[in-house]
Amino acid sequence: MYIPPAFRDDDKECLRATIRAALLANFVTVTAEGPLATPLPLFLDENEGEHGVIYGHLAKANPQCRVPPLGDGLAIFMGPDAYVTPAWYATKRETGKVVPTWNYVAVHAYGPVEFFEDAGRLLDVVNRLTDHHEGERASPWAVSDAPPDFVQAQLRRIVGLRMPITRLEGKRKMSQNRNAADRAGVAAGLAASERASDRDVAALIPK
């Protein structure tokens, strides 16, 4: 990921928070057949390794889990994002020398990829992933709510994914390269938007 110095985010807790908040990631591997990518719900186990371990699962029919990766895998996690119109910049009124851009938060996690089919490990991943997404619901659903034979049949149709993180890259592009007046204009414009992600970005723009 190209990261100009102004946008680099090296705060490990911020990076992990973005990973935790992402409901869907993109999992990418490079193979002899070319790059393969799958949108996946993934979760981070922060208690394993220096940077944590990414877990998830793919459908067994997915070619990505059958073609050996060449080198590390990549999991891409996106935070809030927003289009930025030049109309919000004070500089537009002063010089007119402005162009549109996009503000966003992104985290790239890299590491060796392990695919596995052990039923016990798969059940653990499915339980933890389900708990991660159901935990805040008033009446959370649990894997154990389904009949055991049905669960076992479903487990036979998936392949587990484990990726210990060896490298993390974070980018937080929030108009840091603009002057204070331009940043204030962007923040005000986004804060007035009906789009929730726009308002989230507005709150992240430096004063």
Side-chain angles (χ1 to χ4, degrees):
M1 175 165 55
Y2 170 60
I3 311 177
F7 305 141
R8 181 173 297 280
D9 186 357
D10 291 321
D11 186 317
K12 287 186 178 180
E13 182 49 40
C14 284
L15 302 182
R16 289 177 174 179
T18 297
I19 292 174
R20 289 193 298 266
L23 300 181
L24 193 70
N26 279 294
F27 172 63
V28 183
T29 52
V30 176
T31 76
E33 299 178 10
L36 298 174
T38 303
L40 290 177
L42 302 172
F43 70 88
L44 171 65
D45 187 329
E46 300 179 29
N47 298 315
E48 288 190 59
E50 180 182 359
H51 301 294
V53 175
I54 298 294
Y55 284 97
H57 62 81
L58 301 81
K60 187 174 289 187
N62 187 332
Q64 190 172 13
C65 61
R66 299 197 303 271
V67 182
L70 301 176
D72 286 347
L74 165 64
I76 302 173
F77 301 88
M78 297 300 298
D81 69 275
Y83 170 75
V84 176
T85 172
W88 289 331
Y89 292 145
T91 302
K92 174 184 180 296
R93 298 184 293 275
E94 297 165 0
T95 69
K97 297 178 179 180
V98 291
V99 294
T101 191
W102 210 281
N103 280 355
Y104 59 90
V105 174
V107 174
H108 287 190
Y110 302 84
V113 176
E114 177 194 359
F115 295 119
F116 59 90
E117 298 184 39
D118 176 78
R121 294 177 69 190
L122 281 172
L123 181 59
D124 178 65
V125 167
V126 169
N127 276 323
R128 294 169 71 185
L129 189 59
T130 299
D131 292 345
H132 177 68
H133 291 284
E134 290 279 341
E136 296 184 3
R137 296 176 61 84
S139 300
W141 181 86
V143 174
S144 58
D145 291 343
D149 57 342
F150 173 79
V151 172
Q152 291 302 316
Q154 296 302 304
L155 293 178
R156 289 192 289 272
R157 297 176 180 175
I158 63 175
V159 172
L161 162 65
R162 180 179 185 271
M163 191 181 81
I165 298 173
T166 56
R167 179 162 57 101
L168 274 174
E169 292 180 338
K171 186 173 183 178
R172 184 175 292 254
K173 184 177 180 293
M174 291 293 155
S175 300
Q176 299 98 317
N177 59 329
R178 307 300 308 186
N179 62 42
D182 284 353
R183 293 197 303 271
V186 173
L190 292 175
S193 172
E194 296 182 358
R195 185 172 180 257
S197 185
D198 288 355
R199 299 193 300 273
D200 290 342
V201 169
L204 295 175
I205 294 175
K207 303 296 184 184

